Amino acid sequence: MVGATYALAHELYPYDPVTARAGHHPVVIIGGGPIGVATGLDLAQKGTPALILDDHDGVGQGSRAICFAKRTLEIADRLGAGRDMVDKGVVWNVGRVFHGPQEVFNFNLLPEDGHKNPAFINLQQPYFEKFLIDALRRAEAAGQPIEIRGRNVVTGLTQSGNHVTLDIDTPDGPYQLTADYVIACDGARSPTRQMMGLSFDGRVFEDNFLIADVRMTADFPTERWFWFEPPLAEAPQSALLHKQPDDVWRIDFQLGWDIDREAELDPAKIRHRIDEFLPDGTEYELVWTSIYTFQCRRMDHFRHGRVMFAGDAAHQVSPFGARGANSGIQDADNLAWKLDLVLKGLAPDTLLDTYDAERAHGADENILNSTRATDFLTPKSEMSKIFRNAVLTLARDHPFARPMVNSGRLSVPCTYDDLPLNTPDGLPDGPARTRPGAPCPDAPLVEGYLLDRLPGRFTLLALDMDAPDIATALPFGTLTLSGADLTDALRARYLGDAPRALYLIRPDQHVAARWPSADAAAIQAALAKATSQP
């Protein structure tokens, strides 16, 4: 018997016995959370059928992930959900860092103009997931090949030479499916990973954090405020204040390792902490509370035959820096176009190996940043604490020390430097931020923004020059920009001192190659390299 094991914030895909039927599918995605749904949407937009299986029939309660980065919003835009997210979310760019009662410094995460999306929004995860499901329903209605089945629990998985067989349990009993490929997006405790006997190695941090979501009307600005050693009687090691939609504020307290969890979750004790933290007389309502510990770990490989792992099922980081869900969305963005080309016979199966190479690189970068943040937040020795506090003191008056302050390096997209799909840089004096492997930064055009003109296909971007004709079976288009469309921001981000340039952009909006000029043969060679062609 399959039943829900947590309370739902939104029932989005209730169990339907009519859909629980055997069959074969090109792609089956295990897990209907944000990573699974984003991957399915991306595949369906490209015309590759995707079936999503989830063990519940909606989104669980609790804000959980709340901080979504600009790159995630750009991907969500392409999937049809970005505008809803930004409209509902709380937009912020500014953060402030305090040590005790004193502000150390502040920062702006988007100091330049000319981007469609903000640096970050705060949005409760149930809303984020609901907007993705809304986009899925619109895709279904438009005839795109995507389906989600609630309360369909995968209980077994067997790989054969050319397919995967899945055993599935439902409220009406079991059935089987087969798939060409399976994507496991079933979370940090991934049952798929456990069924396959795969390791998940890393480091568990001995610390506890109390989350309290409170509803209140407050005059705090829409900024991220972070305290080291906040001036509170019970002396938490750190605290965080962040605004969410619906007049809800996230408050985090770092409690340390040796705590009584039951006592700390007593509403009276939580209120005692919050009463001291907020200005006197502030009225508020407790919405959701939780205590979490965290770990930084990942699988050795994200691809195992015909089964790929993405999101928390593949890698896990601390919440500081908002690198969990944001990194998982980048997994989806990286994997979908590759799997689409392989299934259509337009690229060899070895292209999927580059998903492992590129996203493992991204996971290692996130784990490194997450571990460094945690070590700065929680010094492991008295000498480490002296160093940490000295850095905070210096940072008040000396800008050179501020990059050393680490309250969580906030999520930025990964650059795939020196990885196999890149063509060597043909524009070495061009801007470093748009070198091969880098994600394309947005830029304003006369009408709209650059990233809106780079759909989920290969694009040859010609800046102030003609582009050669390219004959290819790959999904491909050309975008030529000149005159007023070469805005100052676009020139700075893509040309630098160069008068003109050609860029080959991947379907996931990463740069595959760039040149001052190139003939059709050079571009064909870069396309072959970007798709693992021999």
Side-chain angles (χ1 to χ4, degrees), residues 303-314:
R303 181 188 184 185
H304 291 265
R306 292 180 170 269
V307 181
M308 264 64 67
F309 290 81
D312 284 353

Side-chain angles (χ1 to χ4, degrees), residues 409-483:
R409 295 276 186 264
L410 289 159
S411 176
V412 294
C414 179
T415 296
Y416 304 130
D417 282 323
D418 303 319
L419 289 174
L421 300 188
N422 299 338
T423 292
D425 195 355
L427 194 71
D429 295 330
R433 67 192 292 184
T434 45
R435 64 193 183 273
C440 290
D442 206 0
L445 306 177
V446 172
E447 294 185 6
Y449 289 86
L450 176 63
L451 294 188
D452 287 340
R453 305 280 295 276
L454 301 176
R457 64 185 182 188
F458 282 98
T459 300
L460 187 61
L461 174 64
L463 300 176
D464 212 23
M465 64 187 301
D466 293 329
D469 292 331
I470 303 297
T472 178
L474 294 167
F476 183 85
T478 297
L479 174 62
T480 301
L481 298 176
S482 60

Side-chain angles (χ1 to χ4, degrees), residues 261-468:
R261 291 175 67 91
E262 185 176 348
E264 292 291 353
L265 284 170
D266 184 327
K269 182 157 190 178
I270 293 172
R271 284 187 171 278
H272 175 74
R273 287 188 181 277
I274 294 172
D275 288 343
E276 185 186 12
F277 182 70
L278 296 176
D280 290 344
T282 302
E283 295 185 3
Y284 62 88
E285 169 196 356
L286 283 178
V287 176
W288 180 69
T289 60
S290 179
I291 288 178
Y292 66 88
T293 57
F294 60 85
Q295 44 213 331
C296 290
R297 53 185 184 170
R298 75 168 178 89
M299 301 176 69
D300 288 338
H301 298 286
F302 298 171
R303 181 188 184 185
H304 291 265
R306 292 180 170 269
V307 181
M308 264 64 67
F309 290 81
D312 284 353
H315 47 78
Q316 193 176 8
V317 296
S318 82
F320 288 99
R323 291 174 177 267
N326 288 298
S327 177
I329 294 294
Q330 292 171 50
D331 290 349
D333 196 40
N334 186 286
L335 177 56
W337 71 269
K338 297 174 179 178
L339 193 52
D340 171 68
L341 294 184
V342 170
L343 282 163
K344 290 175 178 173
L346 298 173
D349 179 82
T350 51
L351 180 60
L352 298 177
D353 294 335
T354 70
Y355 164 71
D356 176 52
E358 292 184 339
R359 293 313 301 156
H361 173 78
D364 288 342
E365 182 178 285
N366 285 324
I367 287 171
L368 176 64
N369 280 287
S370 186
T371 301
R372 286 175 173 171
T374 304
D375 289 341
F376 195 85
L377 287 167
T378 313
K380 302 303 183 288
S381 67
E382 188 59 33
M383 185 54 65
S384 294
K385 185 174 182 179
I386 290 170
F387 172 78
R388 194 274 307 273
N389 289 346
V391 168
L392 290 169
T393 300
L394 279 170
R396 290 173 189 163
D397 301 311
H398 301 286
F400 80 87
R402 292 170 188 170
M404 292 186 279
V405 175
N406 197 336
S407 61
R409 295 276 186 264
L410 289 159
S411 176
V412 294
C414 179
T415 296
Y416 304 130
D417 282 323
D418 303 319
L419 289 174
L421 300 188
N422 299 338
T423 292
D425 195 355
L427 194 71
D429 295 330
R433 67 192 292 184
T434 45
R435 64 193 183 273
C440 290
D442 206 0
L445 306 177
V446 172
E447 294 185 6
Y449 289 86
L450 176 63
L451 294 188
D452 287 340
R453 305 280 295 276
L454 301 176
R457 64 185 182 188
F458 282 98
T459 300
L460 187 61
L461 174 64
L463 300 176
D464 212 23
M465 64 187 301
D466 293 329

Side-chain angles (χ1 to χ4, degrees), residues 104-385:
V104 178
F105 69 99
N106 60 73
F107 55 88
N108 188 335
L109 290 164
L110 195 65
E112 61 181 11
D113 294 327
H115 294 262
K116 177 181 177 180
N117 282 296
F120 282 89
I121 64 167
N122 285 351
L123 180 71
Q124 296 94 326
Q125 185 170 332
Y127 281 126
F128 187 85
E129 294 192 37
K130 180 182 182 300
F131 294 142
L132 283 172
I133 293 294
D134 289 346
L136 182 152
R137 297 303 185 200
R138 290 192 292 270
E140 277 186 313
Q144 293 180 7
I146 189 166
E147 178 188 353
I148 186 166
R149 299 180 185 177
R151 298 178 73 188
N152 277 238
V153 180
V154 177
T155 59
L157 180 151
T158 305
Q159 293 200 64
S160 302
N162 61 358
H163 68 275
V164 182
T165 301
L166 298 174
D167 298 312
I168 300 160
D169 196 16
T170 75
D172 291 316
Y175 70 103
Q176 281 192 334
L177 285 176
T178 58
D180 294 320
Y181 292 95
V182 168
I183 307 172
C185 305
D186 49 351
R189 294 185 176 89
S190 175
T192 308
R193 192 181 62 236
Q194 294 173 25
M195 279 187 277
M196 295 178 68
L198 300 172
S199 63
F200 198 46
D201 300 322
R203 176 180 172 189
V204 177
F205 290 87
E206 296 184 351
D207 219 329
N208 292 279
F209 292 80
L210 171 68
I211 296 175
D213 282 354
V214 303
R215 181 172 286 109
M216 63 181 179
T217 302
D219 293 330
F220 302 119
T222 305
E223 300 172 346
R224 179 188 191 261
W225 287 9
F226 187 93
W227 284 261
F228 292 94
E229 299 179 317
L232 302 173
E234 299 213 30
Q237 296 176 54
S238 68
L240 175 70
L241 179 68
H242 238 186
K243 187 178 182 181
Q244 305 174 59
D246 304 331
D247 290 324
V248 174
W249 295 75
R250 161 73 62 84
I251 303 173
D252 281 20
F253 296 111
Q254 184 182 358
L255 304 180
W257 181 242
D258 187 18
I259 66 167
D260 182 336
R261 291 175 67 91
E262 185 176 348
E264 292 291 353
L265 284 170
D266 184 327
K269 182 157 190 178
I270 293 172
R271 284 187 171 278
H272 175 74
R273 287 188 181 277
I274 294 172
D275 288 343
E276 185 186 12
F277 182 70
L278 296 176
D280 290 344
T282 302
E283 295 185 3
Y284 62 88
E285 169 196 356
L286 283 178
V287 176
W288 180 69
T289 60
S290 179
I291 288 178
Y292 66 88
T293 57
F294 60 85
Q295 44 213 331
C296 290
R297 53 185 184 170
R298 75 168 178 89
M299 301 176 69
D300 288 338
H301 298 286
F302 298 171
R303 181 188 184 185
H304 291 265
R306 292 180 170 269
V307 181
M308 264 64 67
F309 290 81
D312 284 353
H315 47 78
Q316 193 176 8
V317 296
S318 82
F320 288 99
R323 291 174 177 267
N326 288 298
S327 177
I329 294 294
Q330 292 171 50
D331 290 349
D333 196 40
N334 186 286
L335 177 56
W337 71 269
K338 297 174 179 178
L339 193 52
D340 171 68
L341 294 184
V342 170
L343 282 163
K344 290 175 178 173
L346 298 173
D349 179 82
T350 51
L351 180 60
L352 298 177
D353 294 335
T354 70
Y355 164 71
D356 176 52
E358 292 184 339
R359 293 313 301 156
H361 173 78
D364 288 342
E365 182 178 285
N366 285 324
I367 287 171
L368 176 64
N369 280 287
S370 186
T371 301
R372 286 175 173 171
T374 304
D375 289 341
F376 195 85
L377 287 167
T378 313
K380 302 303 183 288
S381 67
E382 188 59 33
M383 185 54 65
S384 294
K385 185 174 182 179

